[in-house]
C-alpha cells in the first residue's frame, strides 16, 4: 500500500461524545490529526472537544453533526443503531464526495447478552451506502474497545481493524487512518457486502469480555 498523508485531512466523528467516538477522537488527536466532534447538541460536542484538547494537546473542535459533517474530509459515523439511518439520510448533502466510515454495530441486548440484529440492507454499512450514493462508504472500527481507546495509560491497543469497502483508494485511506492508533493495523476485510459478519462479531466480543473480564479485540494472522 502506498504511503498516504493524512496530515492535511480533517477527521469528523459524528456521535463523537459517546465512548467509542470520543475514544477514536482522542487517538486521532494524539496522532496529530485535526478532529471535529459532532453531536446532536453543538454545546456538548464543544465541551467534550475542550476536554480532549486539555488531555491530548491536540486539535479538536466541536459542532453539531451537520456542522461536523460539513467540515470533515473523512467522516466517521459512530452513533447508536437506532438513529443511524435517519442521521445518515439527513446529512447526504454534507457527506457528498467524502469518505464516510461507518462504525455502527446493529446489536440488541437481552438477559442472555448481546446479539446481532437483522438489517434489511444487510448491514449498517450497506444501509449507509444506499443512503449516500454520492459518498465513498467504508466500514471500519467495529471491533475496537472503547475502554482501551479512552484509557490514557494504554499505549498499545494490540488489535487489528477490519476495513470493508468497494473503493480501493477509500479503503487504503481508512487503513492508514487506523494505522495512526498505536498498536493498531488497518486490514482490508473484503467488500461492503461482507460487512454484516464484522459488525455482528462485536456481539461475540462482548460475550468474551463478560466471561473473561477483558477488552477483547481481533488479530489477523499471517498478514
Amino acid at each position: 500500500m502506498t504511503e498516504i498523508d493524512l496530515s492535511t485531512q480533517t477527521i469528523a466523528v459524528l456521535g463523537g461524545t459517546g465512548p467509542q467516538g470520543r475514544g477514536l477522537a482522542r487517538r486521532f488527536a494524539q496522532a496529530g490529526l485535526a478532529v471535529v466532534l459532532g453531536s446532536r447538541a453543538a454545546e456538548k460536542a464543544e465541551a467534550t472537544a475542550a476536554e480532549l484538547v486539555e488531555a491530548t494537546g491536540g486539535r479538536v473542535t466541536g459542532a453539531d453533526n451537520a456542522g461536523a459533517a460539513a467540515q470533515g474530509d473523512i467522516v466517521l459515523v459512530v452513533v447508536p443503531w437506532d438513529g443511524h439511518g435517519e442521521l445518515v439520510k439527513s446529512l447526504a448533502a454534507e457527506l457528498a464526495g467524502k469518505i464516510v466510515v461507518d462504525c455502527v454495530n446493529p446489536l440488541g441486548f437481552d438477559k442472555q447478552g448481546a446479539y446481532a440484529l437483522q438489517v434489511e440492507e444487510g448491514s449498517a454499512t450497506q444501509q449507509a451506502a444506499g443512503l449516500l450514493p454520492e459518498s465513498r462508504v467504508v466500514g471500519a472500527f467495529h471491533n475496537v474497545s472503547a475502554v482501551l481507546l479512552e484509557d490514557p495509560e494504554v499505549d498499545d491497543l494490540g488489535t487489528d481493524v477490519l476495513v470493508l469497502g468497494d473503493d480501493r483508494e477509500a479503503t487504503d485511506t481508512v487503513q492508514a487512518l487506523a494505522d495512526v492508533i498505536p498498536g493498531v493495523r488497518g486490514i482490508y476485510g473484503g467488500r461492503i457486502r461482507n460487512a454484516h459478519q464484522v459488525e455482528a462479531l462485536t456481539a461475540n466480543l462482548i460475550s468474551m469480555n463478560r466471561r473473561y473480564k477483558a477488552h477483547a479485540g481481533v488479530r489477523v494472522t499471517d498478514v
Side-chain angles (χ1 to χ4, degrees):
M1 196 170 75
T2 56
E3 192 76 19
I4 293 174
D5 181 15
L6 296 171
S7 63
T8 62
Q9 303 289 294
T10 295
I11 314 301
V13 184
L14 310 185
T17 58
Q20 192 83 10
R22 195 170 58 226
L24 288 167
R26 169 188 283 271
R27 297 295 176 165
F28 297 148
Q30 285 177 328
L33 302 180
V35 180
V36 55
L37 300 182
S39 179
R40 280 179 293 186
E43 297 79 13
K44 187 176 181 182
E46 289 162 359
T48 302
E51 292 170 6
L52 288 178
V53 169
E54 186 173 347
T56 67
R59 296 174 289 161
V60 189
T61 57
D64 63 14
N65 281 320
Q71 292 177 53
D73 298 300
I74 302 170
V75 182
L76 278 68
V77 180
V78 199
V79 298
W81 168 242
D82 285 352
H84 175 265
E86 183 181 354
L87 176 71
V88 168
K89 185 177 181 179
S90 73
L91 297 177
E94 288 86 349
L95 297 173
K98 300 182 178 185
I99 294 176
V100 177
V101 187
D102 202 288
C103 313
V104 175
N105 298 309
L107 300 179
F109 296 86
D110 60 18
K111 291 180 180 179
Q112 296 183 56
Y115 60 97
L117 297 175
Q118 295 294 319
V119 178
E120 183 179 350
E121 297 86 352
S123 65
T125 306
Q126 286 169 294
Q127 183 184 84
L131 293 170
L132 300 172
E134 295 182 43
S135 301
R136 302 157 76 191
V137 176
V138 174
F141 300 107
H142 298 101
N143 310 136
V144 185
S145 165
V147 174
L148 297 183
L149 286 169
E150 289 210 273
D151 189 342
E153 301 298 314
V154 174
D155 55 12
D156 184 338
L157 271 76
T159 192
D160 293 333
V161 166
L162 297 175
V163 179
L164 303 112
D166 298 338
D167 180 315
R168 177 65 181 267
E169 185 184 9
T171 56
D172 283 354
T173 299
V174 177
Q175 284 176 250
L177 181 62
D179 289 346
V180 307
I181 303 174
V184 172
R185 295 186 307 169
I187 301 288
Y188 174 69
R191 291 184 173 271
I192 278 182
R193 67 184 184 185
N194 291 315
H196 164 73
Q197 54 265 39
V198 177
E199 297 171 7
L201 181 61
T202 303
N204 302 83
L205 294 173
I206 291 170
S207 299
M208 294 176 205
N209 291 338
R210 289 181 63 180
R211 173 66 61 89
Y212 298 107
K213 296 179 171 56
H215 303 294
V218 174
R219 272 293 199 201
V220 179
T221 62
D222 201 32
V223 174

